[in-house]
Amino acid sequence: MKSIKVLILTLILGLTSLYAGAGHSHNISDNDIKVRAQNHITSLINKEKIDTSWKNYKMGKMEKRGIISKEWVVSFINSKIEDKTKQTLFVYLTSYGKVKGVNYKGD
């Protein structure tokens, strides 16, 4: 009897997850986006992909871009960088918080 209950419960839970497909949203909060972008900057510093002076960045803007598939663009400013074209670093994230890329262009 106990194994039948476990089987039924497993089937119910399994079917429930099937319905969480296309219309199911995993968007995360603005604060979580900010934290994930900051963590990515730290990761780039630790991997020596960007200068250590980025530890002292200032937060720039956070904005959603796109018409259909909105993505987050979070900018960070480091005035200690001599090359003015590289003083602002842009981190691109999906609405789910996955980092898509980083550049100095902002586009």
PDB file of all heavy atoms in Angstrom, residues 52-84:
ATOM      1  N   THR A  52      42.738  44.845 -11.444  1.00  0.00           N
ATOM      2  CA  THR A  52      42.312  44.767 -10.034  1.00  0.00           C
ATOM      3  C   THR A  52      41.698  46.070  -9.524  1.00  0.00           C
ATOM      4  O   THR A  52      40.989  46.064  -8.521  1.00  0.00           O
ATOM      5  CB  THR A  52      43.478  44.367  -9.112  1.00  0.00           C
ATOM      6  OG1 THR A  52      44.537  45.306  -9.276  1.00  0.00           O
ATOM      7  CG2 THR A  52      43.963  42.973  -9.418  1.00  0.00           C
ATOM      8  N   SER A  53      41.944  47.170 -10.221  1.00  0.00           N
ATOM      9  CA  SER A  53      41.337  48.441  -9.799  1.00  0.00           C
ATOM     10  C   SER A  53      39.815  48.396  -9.922  1.00  0.00           C
ATOM     11  O   SER A  53      39.116  49.231  -9.347  1.00  0.00           O
ATOM     12  CB  SER A  53      41.900  49.603 -10.616  1.00  0.00           C
ATOM     13  OG  SER A  53      41.508  49.520 -11.969  1.00  0.00           O
ATOM     14  N   TRP A  54      39.289  47.410 -10.622  1.00  0.00           N
ATOM     15  CA  TRP A  54      37.841  47.257 -10.725  1.00  0.00           C
ATOM     16  C   TRP A  54      37.214  46.850  -9.405  1.00  0.00           C
ATOM     17  O   TRP A  54      35.993  46.882  -9.264  1.00  0.00           O
ATOM     18  CB  TRP A  54      37.469  46.274 -11.831  1.00  0.00           C
ATOM     19  CG  TRP A  54      37.514  46.915 -13.179  1.00  0.00           C
ATOM     20  CD1 TRP A  54      38.526  46.839 -14.090  1.00  0.00           C
ATOM     21  CD2 TRP A  54      36.527  47.775 -13.748  1.00  0.00           C
ATOM     22  NE1 TRP A  54      38.215  47.587 -15.197  1.00  0.00           N
ATOM     23  CE2 TRP A  54      36.998  48.172 -15.007  1.00  0.00           C
ATOM     24  CE3 TRP A  54      35.288  48.232 -13.315  1.00  0.00           C
ATOM     25  CZ2 TRP A  54      36.266  49.018 -15.844  1.00  0.00           C
ATOM     26  CZ3 TRP A  54      34.565  49.075 -14.146  1.00  0.00           C
ATOM     27  CH2 TRP A  54      35.051  49.462 -15.386  1.00  0.00           C
ATOM     28  N   LYS A  55      38.030  46.505  -8.419  1.00  0.00           N
ATOM     29  CA  LYS A  55      37.480  46.207  -7.090  1.00  0.00           C
ATOM     30  C   LYS A  55      36.806  47.439  -6.493  1.00  0.00           C
ATOM     31  O   LYS A  55      35.941  47.332  -5.636  1.00  0.00           O
ATOM     32  CB  LYS A  55      38.584  45.729  -6.138  1.00  0.00           C
ATOM     33  CG  LYS A  55      39.085  44.347  -6.451  1.00  0.00           C
ATOM     34  CD  LYS A  55      40.172  43.942  -5.486  1.00  0.00           C
ATOM     35  CE  LYS A  55      40.724  42.572  -5.831  1.00  0.00           C
ATOM     36  NZ  LYS A  55      41.811  42.158  -4.943  1.00  0.00           N
ATOM     37  N   ASN A  56      37.212  48.610  -6.941  1.00  0.00           N
ATOM     38  CA  ASN A  56      36.701  49.875  -6.398  1.00  0.00           C
ATOM     39  C   ASN A  56      35.766  50.570  -7.383  1.00  0.00           C
ATOM     40  O   ASN A  56      35.768  51.791  -7.488  1.00  0.00           O
ATOM     41  CB  ASN A  56      37.875  50.794  -6.047  1.00  0.00           C
ATOM     42  CG  ASN A  56      38.791  50.167  -5.024  1.00  0.00           C
ATOM     43  OD1 ASN A  56      38.327  49.639  -4.023  1.00  0.00           O
ATOM     44  ND2 ASN A  56      40.082  50.195  -5.281  1.00  0.00           N
ATOM     45  N   TYR A  57      34.967  49.805  -8.104  1.00  0.00           N
ATOM     46  CA  TYR A  57      34.061  50.386  -9.084  1.00  0.00           C
ATOM     47  C   TYR A  57      32.930  51.149  -8.411  1.00  0.00           C
ATOM     48  O   TYR A  57      32.665  50.996  -7.222  1.00  0.00           O
ATOM     49  CB  TYR A  57      33.462  49.296  -9.977  1.00  0.00           C
ATOM     50  CG  TYR A  57      32.637  48.275  -9.227  1.00  0.00           C
ATOM     51  CD1 TYR A  57      31.347  48.564  -8.813  1.00  0.00           C
ATOM     52  CD2 TYR A  57      33.151  47.023  -8.922  1.00  0.00           C
ATOM     53  CE1 TYR A  57      30.598  47.641  -8.108  1.00  0.00           C
ATOM     54  CE2 TYR A  57      32.406  46.089  -8.230  1.00  0.00           C
ATOM     55  CZ  TYR A  57      31.137  46.405  -7.827  1.00  0.00           C
ATOM     56  OH  TYR A  57      30.393  45.483  -7.139  1.00  0.00           O
ATOM     57  N   LYS A  58      32.255  51.975  -9.209  1.00  0.00           N
ATOM     58  CA  LYS A  58      31.004  52.613  -8.800  1.00  0.00           C
ATOM     59  C   LYS A  58      29.907  51.983  -9.648  1.00  0.00           C
ATOM     60  O   LYS A  58      30.110  51.691 -10.826  1.00  0.00           O
ATOM     61  CB  LYS A  58      31.040  54.117  -9.077  1.00  0.00           C
ATOM     62  CG  LYS A  58      31.860  54.907  -8.076  1.00  0.00           C
ATOM     63  CD  LYS A  58      31.548  56.379  -8.187  1.00  0.00           C
ATOM     64  CE  LYS A  58      32.613  57.051  -9.033  1.00  0.00           C
ATOM     65  NZ  LYS A  58      32.408  58.484  -9.194  1.00  0.00           N
ATOM     66  N   MET A  59      28.767  51.755  -9.039  1.00  0.00           N
ATOM     67  CA  MET A  59      27.640  51.233  -9.796  1.00  0.00           C
ATOM     68  C   MET A  59      27.164  52.294 -10.773  1.00  0.00           C
ATOM     69  O   MET A  59      27.039  53.458 -10.413  1.00  0.00           O
ATOM     70  CB  MET A  59      26.461  50.896  -8.869  1.00  0.00           C
ATOM     71  CG  MET A  59      26.486  49.545  -8.231  1.00  0.00           C
ATOM     72  SD  MET A  59      26.482  48.151  -9.347  1.00  0.00           S
ATOM     73  CE  MET A  59      24.878  48.245 -10.086  1.00  0.00           C
ATOM     74  N   GLY A  60      26.909  51.861 -11.967  1.00  0.00           N
ATOM     75  CA  GLY A  60      26.316  52.730 -12.970  1.00  0.00           C
ATOM     76  C   GLY A  60      24.819  52.490 -13.022  1.00  0.00           C
ATOM     77  O   GLY A  60      24.166  52.374 -11.992  1.00  0.00           O
ATOM     78  N   LYS A  61      24.300  52.332 -14.230  1.00  0.00           N
ATOM     79  CA  LYS A  61      22.868  52.114 -14.421  1.00  0.00           C
ATOM     80  C   LYS A  61      22.540  50.628 -14.518  1.00  0.00           C
ATOM     81  O   LYS A  61      23.376  49.824 -14.905  1.00  0.00           O
ATOM     82  CB  LYS A  61      22.412  52.763 -15.726  1.00  0.00           C
ATOM     83  CG  LYS A  61      22.344  54.256 -15.699  1.00  0.00           C
ATOM     84  CD  LYS A  61      21.583  54.726 -16.918  1.00  0.00           C
ATOM     85  CE  LYS A  61      22.494  55.483 -17.853  1.00  0.00           C
ATOM     86  NZ  LYS A  61      21.849  55.923 -19.082  1.00  0.00           N
ATOM     87  N   MET A  62      21.316  50.330 -14.184  1.00  0.00           N
ATOM     88  CA  MET A  62      20.735  49.011 -14.411  1.00  0.00           C
ATOM     89  C   MET A  62      19.489  49.241 -15.250  1.00  0.00           C
ATOM     90  O   MET A  62      18.623  50.019 -14.866  1.00  0.00           O
ATOM     91  CB  MET A  62      20.297  48.362 -13.098  1.00  0.00           C
ATOM     92  CG  MET A  62      21.366  47.687 -12.337  1.00  0.00           C
ATOM     93  SD  MET A  62      20.731  46.856 -10.855  1.00  0.00           S
ATOM     94  CE  MET A  62      19.464  45.788 -11.498  1.00  0.00           C
ATOM     95  N   GLU A  63      19.434  48.580 -16.411  1.00  0.00           N
ATOM     96  CA  GLU A  63      18.248  48.755 -17.232  1.00  0.00           C
ATOM     97  C   GLU A  63      17.932  47.487 -18.010  1.00  0.00           C
ATOM     98  O   GLU A  63      18.810  46.688 -18.296  1.00  0.00           O
ATOM     99  CB  GLU A  63      18.411  49.925 -18.191  1.00  0.00           C
ATOM    100  CG  GLU A  63      19.560  49.791 -19.167  1.00  0.00           C
ATOM    101  CD  GLU A  63      19.693  50.997 -20.084  1.00  0.00           C
ATOM    102  OE1 GLU A  63      18.703  51.719 -20.296  1.00  0.00           O
ATOM    103  OE2 GLU A  63      20.797  51.204 -20.586  1.00  0.00           O
ATOM    104  N   LYS A  64      16.643  47.341 -18.322  1.00  0.00           N
ATOM    105  CA  LYS A  64      16.198  46.240 -19.160  1.00  0.00           C
ATOM    106  C   LYS A  64      16.145  46.742 -20.592  1.00  0.00           C
ATOM    107  O   LYS A  64      15.646  47.834 -20.848  1.00  0.00           O
ATOM    108  CB  LYS A  64      14.813  45.759 -18.739  1.00  0.00           C
ATOM    109  CG  LYS A  64      14.824  44.759 -17.635  1.00  0.00           C
ATOM    110  CD  LYS A  64      13.439  44.173 -17.458  1.00  0.00           C
ATOM    111  CE  LYS A  64      13.492  43.034 -16.479  1.00  0.00           C
ATOM    112  NZ  LYS A  64      12.157  42.467 -16.259  1.00  0.00           N
ATOM    113  N   ARG A  65      16.674  45.918 -21.503  1.00  0.00           N
ATOM    114  CA  ARG A  65      16.664  46.277 -22.920  1.00  0.00           C
ATOM    115  C   ARG A  65      16.046  45.155 -23.719  1.00  0.00           C
ATOM    116  O   ARG A  65      16.108  44.000 -23.342  1.00  0.00           O
ATOM    117  CB  ARG A  65      18.087  46.502 -23.432  1.00  0.00           C
ATOM    118  CG  ARG A  65      18.750  47.725 -22.890  1.00  0.00           C
ATOM    119  CD  ARG A  65      20.063  47.932 -23.586  1.00  0.00           C
ATOM    120  NE  ARG A  65      20.847  48.984 -22.966  1.00  0.00           N
ATOM    121  CZ  ARG A  65      22.108  49.203 -23.236  1.00  0.00           C
ATOM    122  NH1 ARG A  65      22.754  48.428 -24.085  1.00  0.00           N
ATOM    123  NH2 ARG A  65      22.749  50.186 -22.646  1.00  0.00           N
ATOM    124  N   GLY A  66      15.521  45.526 -24.869  1.00  0.00           N
ATOM    125  CA  GLY A  66      14.951  44.543 -25.781  1.00  0.00           C
ATOM    126  C   GLY A  66      13.453  44.676 -25.876  1.00  0.00           C
ATOM    127  O   GLY A  66      12.805  45.191 -24.972  1.00  0.00           O
ATOM    128  N   ILE A  67      12.935  44.197 -26.983  1.00  0.00           N
ATOM    129  CA  ILE A  67      11.500  44.291 -27.213  1.00  0.00           C
ATOM    130  C   ILE A  67      10.808  43.011 -26.766  1.00  0.00           C
ATOM    131  O   ILE A  67       9.905  43.045 -25.946  1.00  0.00           O
ATOM    132  CB  ILE A  67      11.206  44.572 -28.706  1.00  0.00           C
ATOM    133  CG1 ILE A  67      11.797  45.919 -29.089  1.00  0.00           C
ATOM    134  CG2 ILE A  67       9.718  44.525 -28.987  1.00  0.00           C
ATOM    135  CD1 ILE A  67      11.792  46.211 -30.559  1.00  0.00           C
ATOM    136  N   ILE A  68      11.267  41.892 -27.278  1.00  0.00           N
ATOM    137  CA  ILE A  68      10.629  40.619 -26.945  1.00  0.00           C
ATOM    138  C   ILE A  68      11.333  39.971 -25.767  1.00  0.00           C
ATOM    139  O   ILE A  68      10.743  39.699 -24.743  1.00  0.00           O
ATOM    140  CB  ILE A  68      10.635  39.674 -28.160  1.00  0.00           C
ATOM    141  CG1 ILE A  68       9.808  40.290 -29.286  1.00  0.00           C
ATOM    142  CG2 ILE A  68      10.106  38.295 -27.787  1.00  0.00           C
ATOM    143  CD1 ILE A  68       9.923  39.580 -30.599  1.00  0.00           C
ATOM    144  N   SER A  69      12.587  39.722 -25.937  1.00  0.00           N
ATOM    145  CA  SER A  69      13.369  39.050 -24.898  1.00  0.00           C
ATOM    146  C   SER A  69      14.173  40.092 -24.144  1.00  0.00           C
ATOM    147  O   SER A  69      15.255  40.483 -24.566  1.00  0.00           O
ATOM    148  CB  SER A  69      14.296  38.017 -25.549  1.00  0.00           C
ATOM    149  OG  SER A  69      15.126  37.434 -24.591  1.00  0.00           O
ATOM    150  N   LYS A  70      13.630  40.558 -23.064  1.00  0.00           N
ATOM    151  CA  LYS A  70      14.304  41.595 -22.280  1.00  0.00           C
ATOM    152  C   LYS A  70      15.555  41.036 -21.624  1.00  0.00           C
ATOM    153  O   LYS A  70      15.540  39.940 -21.081  1.00  0.00           O
ATOM    154  CB  LYS A  70      13.378  42.130 -21.196  1.00  0.00           C
ATOM    155  CG  LYS A  70      12.121  42.740 -21.726  1.00  0.00           C
ATOM    156  CD  LYS A  70      12.214  44.214 -21.765  1.00  0.00           C
ATOM    157  CE  LYS A  70      10.891  44.796 -22.224  1.00  0.00           C
ATOM    158  NZ  LYS A  70      11.002  46.153 -22.564  1.00  0.00           N
ATOM    159  N   GLU A  71      16.640  41.788 -21.700  1.00  0.00           N
ATOM    160  CA  GLU A  71      17.863  41.419 -21.000  1.00  0.00           C
ATOM    161  C   GLU A  71      18.279  42.591 -20.127  1.00  0.00           C
ATOM    162  O   GLU A  71      17.918  43.731 -20.390  1.00  0.00           O
ATOM    163  CB  GLU A  71      18.982  41.045 -21.970  1.00  0.00           C
ATOM    164  CG  GLU A  71      19.568  42.218 -22.735  1.00  0.00           C
ATOM    165  CD  GLU A  71      20.731  41.816 -23.639  1.00  0.00           C
ATOM    166  OE1 GLU A  71      21.038  40.627 -23.754  1.00  0.00           O
ATOM    167  OE2 GLU A  71      21.330  42.707 -24.235  1.00  0.00           O
ATOM    168  N   TRP A  72      19.001  42.277 -19.092  1.00  0.00           N
ATOM    169  CA  TRP A  72      19.500  43.311 -18.198  1.00  0.00           C
ATOM    170  C   TRP A  72      20.867  43.769 -18.666  1.00  0.00           C
ATOM    171  O   TRP A  72      21.690  42.971 -19.089  1.00  0.00           O
ATOM    172  CB  TRP A  72      19.628  42.774 -16.778  1.00  0.00           C
ATOM    173  CG  TRP A  72      18.338  42.689 -16.046  1.00  0.00           C
ATOM    174  CD1 TRP A  72      17.558  41.589 -15.894  1.00  0.00           C
ATOM    175  CD2 TRP A  72      17.692  43.743 -15.353  1.00  0.00           C
ATOM    176  NE1 TRP A  72      16.445  41.896 -15.147  1.00  0.00           N
ATOM    177  CE2 TRP A  72      16.504  43.219 -14.798  1.00  0.00           C
ATOM    178  CE3 TRP A  72      17.984  45.091 -15.144  1.00  0.00           C
ATOM    179  CZ2 TRP A  72      15.623  43.974 -14.049  1.00  0.00           C
ATOM    180  CZ3 TRP A  72      17.105  45.854 -14.391  1.00  0.00           C
ATOM    181  CH2 TRP A  72      15.949  45.298 -13.858  1.00  0.00           C
ATOM    182  N   VAL A  73      21.097  45.077 -18.563  1.00  0.00           N
ATOM    183  CA  VAL A  73      22.418  45.650 -18.798  1.00  0.00           C
ATOM    184  C   VAL A  73      22.769  46.428 -17.538  1.00  0.00           C
ATOM    185  O   VAL A  73      22.051  47.346 -17.138  1.00  0.00           O
ATOM    186  CB  VAL A  73      22.444  46.581 -20.025  1.00  0.00           C
ATOM    187  CG1 VAL A  73      23.844  47.117 -20.251  1.00  0.00           C
ATOM    188  CG2 VAL A  73      21.932  45.854 -21.262  1.00  0.00           C
ATOM    189  N   VAL A  74      23.858  46.013 -16.906  1.00  0.00           N
ATOM    190  CA  VAL A  74      24.307  46.657 -15.670  1.00  0.00           C
ATOM    191  C   VAL A  74      25.675  47.255 -15.950  1.00  0.00           C
ATOM    192  O   VAL A  74      26.579  46.570 -16.436  1.00  0.00           O
ATOM    193  CB  VAL A  74      24.403  45.641 -14.509  1.00  0.00           C
ATOM    194  CG1 VAL A  74      24.794  46.337 -13.222  1.00  0.00           C
ATOM    195  CG2 VAL A  74      23.091  44.885 -14.346  1.00  0.00           C
ATOM    196  N   SER A  75      25.834  48.547 -15.667  1.00  0.00           N
ATOM    197  CA  SER A  75      27.118  49.191 -15.942  1.00  0.00           C
ATOM    198  C   SER A  75      27.868  49.489 -14.646  1.00  0.00           C
ATOM    199  O   SER A  75      27.269  49.731 -13.596  1.00  0.00           O
ATOM    200  CB  SER A  75      26.924  50.480 -16.739  1.00  0.00           C
ATOM    201  OG  SER A  75      26.164  51.424 -16.023  1.00  0.00           O
ATOM    202  N   PHE A  76      29.182  49.420 -14.754  1.00  0.00           N
ATOM    203  CA  PHE A  76      30.091  49.687 -13.649  1.00  0.00           C
ATOM    204  C   PHE A  76      31.116  50.702 -14.140  1.00  0.00           C
ATOM    205  O   PHE A  76      31.570  50.638 -15.278  1.00  0.00           O
ATOM    206  CB  PHE A  76      30.800  48.393 -13.214  1.00  0.00           C
ATOM    207  CG  PHE A  76      29.857  47.346 -12.717  1.00  0.00           C
ATOM    208  CD1 PHE A  76      29.293  46.427 -13.582  1.00  0.00           C
ATOM    209  CD2 PHE A  76      29.516  47.284 -11.377  1.00  0.00           C
ATOM    210  CE1 PHE A  76      28.415  45.463 -13.129  1.00  0.00           C
ATOM    211  CE2 PHE A  76      28.634  46.325 -10.909  1.00  0.00           C
ATOM    212  CZ  PHE A  76      28.086  45.417 -11.793  1.00  0.00           C
ATOM    213  N   ILE A  77      31.488  51.630 -13.266  1.00  0.00           N
ATOM    214  CA  ILE A  77      32.388  52.719 -13.646  1.00  0.00           C
ATOM    215  C   ILE A  77      33.647  52.662 -12.801  1.00  0.00           C
ATOM    216  O   ILE A  77      33.593  52.500 -11.586  1.00  0.00           O
ATOM    217  CB  ILE A  77      31.685  54.082 -13.459  1.00  0.00           C
ATOM    218  CG1 ILE A  77      30.409  54.106 -14.304  1.00  0.00           C
ATOM    219  CG2 ILE A  77      32.615  55.230 -13.802  1.00  0.00           C
ATOM    220  CD1 ILE A  77      29.418  55.161 -13.910  1.00  0.00           C
ATOM    221  N   ASN A  78      34.792  52.797 -13.484  1.00  0.00           N
ATOM    222  CA  ASN A  78      36.094  52.790 -12.816  1.00  0.00           C
ATOM    223  C   ASN A  78      36.917  53.939 -13.383  1.00  0.00           C
ATOM    224  O   ASN A  78      37.522  53.829 -14.447  1.00  0.00           O
ATOM    225  CB  ASN A  78      36.799  51.446 -13.049  1.00  0.00           C
ATOM    226  CG  ASN A  78      38.143  51.369 -12.370  1.00  0.00           C
ATOM    227  OD1 ASN A  78      38.611  52.332 -11.776  1.00  0.00           O
ATOM    228  ND2 ASN A  78      38.774  50.230 -12.466  1.00  0.00           N
ATOM    229  N   SER A  79      36.941  55.046 -12.686  1.00  0.00           N
ATOM    230  CA  SER A  79      37.654  56.233 -13.171  1.00  0.00           C
ATOM    231  C   SER A  79      39.173  56.105 -13.060  1.00  0.00           C
ATOM    232  O   SER A  79      39.899  56.959 -13.553  1.00  0.00           O
ATOM    233  CB  SER A  79      37.167  57.480 -12.425  1.00  0.00           C
ATOM    234  OG  SER A  79      37.349  57.301 -11.034  1.00  0.00           O
ATOM    235  N   LYS A  80      39.658  55.032 -12.435  1.00  0.00           N
ATOM    236  CA  LYS A  80      41.106  54.827 -12.319  1.00  0.00           C
ATOM    237  C   LYS A  80      41.712  54.282 -13.611  1.00  0.00           C
ATOM    238  O   LYS A  80      42.932  54.282 -13.765  1.00  0.00           O
ATOM    239  CB  LYS A  80      41.423  53.880 -11.167  1.00  0.00           C
ATOM    240  CG  LYS A  80      41.094  54.475  -9.823  1.00  0.00           C
ATOM    241  CD  LYS A  80      41.452  53.544  -8.702  1.00  0.00           C
ATOM    242  CE  LYS A  80      41.060  54.193  -7.371  1.00  0.00           C
ATOM    243  NZ  LYS A  80      41.338  53.319  -6.244  1.00  0.00           N
ATOM    244  N   ILE A  81      40.888  53.828 -14.528  1.00  0.00           N
ATOM    245  CA  ILE A  81      41.366  53.337 -15.817  1.00  0.00           C
ATOM    246  C   ILE A  81      41.705  54.545 -16.684  1.00  0.00           C
ATOM    247  O   ILE A  81      40.883  55.442 -16.857  1.00  0.00           O
ATOM    248  CB  ILE A  81      40.299  52.448 -16.504  1.00  0.00           C
ATOM    249  CG1 ILE A  81      39.936  51.262 -15.618  1.00  0.00           C
ATOM    250  CG2 ILE A  81      40.752  52.005 -17.882  1.00  0.00           C
ATOM    251  CD1 ILE A  81      41.030  50.240 -15.416  1.00  0.00           C
ATOM    252  N   GLU A  82      42.915  54.565 -17.223  1.00  0.00           N
ATOM    253  CA  GLU A  82      43.354  55.718 -18.018  1.00  0.00           C
ATOM    254  C   GLU A  82      42.610  55.836 -19.341  1.00  0.00           C
ATOM    255  O   GLU A  82      42.262  56.936 -19.755  1.00  0.00           O
ATOM    256  CB  GLU A  82      44.866  55.631 -18.264  1.00  0.00           C
ATOM    257  CG  GLU A  82      45.680  55.904 -17.007  1.00  0.00           C
ATOM    258  CD  GLU A  82      47.172  55.883 -17.274  1.00  0.00           C
ATOM    259  OE1 GLU A  82      47.586  56.182 -18.406  1.00  0.00           O
ATOM    260  OE2 GLU A  82      47.913  55.558 -16.338  1.00  0.00           O
ATOM    261  N   ASP A  83      42.399  54.730 -20.015  1.00  0.00           N
ATOM    262  CA  ASP A  83      41.694  54.729 -21.295  1.00  0.00           C
ATOM    263  C   ASP A  83      40.213  55.001 -21.047  1.00  0.00           C
ATOM    264  O   ASP A  83      39.484  54.153 -20.545  1.00  0.00           O
ATOM    265  CB  ASP A  83      41.890  53.376 -21.986  1.00  0.00           C
ATOM    266  CG  ASP A  83      41.261  53.320 -23.368  1.00  0.00           C
ATOM    267  OD1 ASP A  83      40.498  54.238 -23.742  1.00  0.00           O
ATOM    268  OD2 ASP A  83      41.533  52.333 -24.082  1.00  0.00           O
ATOM    269  N   LYS A  84      39.762  56.200 -21.417  1.00  0.00           N
ATOM    270  CA  LYS A  84      38.383  56.612 -21.124  1.00  0.00           C
ATOM    271  C   LYS A  84      37.351  55.698 -21.784  1.00  0.00           C
ATOM    272  O   LYS A  84      36.247  55.558 -21.283  1.00  0.00           O
ATOM    273  CB  LYS A  84      38.163  58.055 -21.541  1.00  0.00           C
ATOM    274  CG  LYS A  84      38.951  59.031 -20.680  1.00  0.00           C
ATOM    275  CD  LYS A  84      38.318  60.394 -20.703  1.00  0.00           C
ATOM    276  CE  LYS A  84      39.118  61.372 -19.907  1.00  0.00           C
ATOM    277  NZ  LYS A  84      38.917  61.278 -18.476  1.00  0.00           N
TER     278      LYS A  84
END
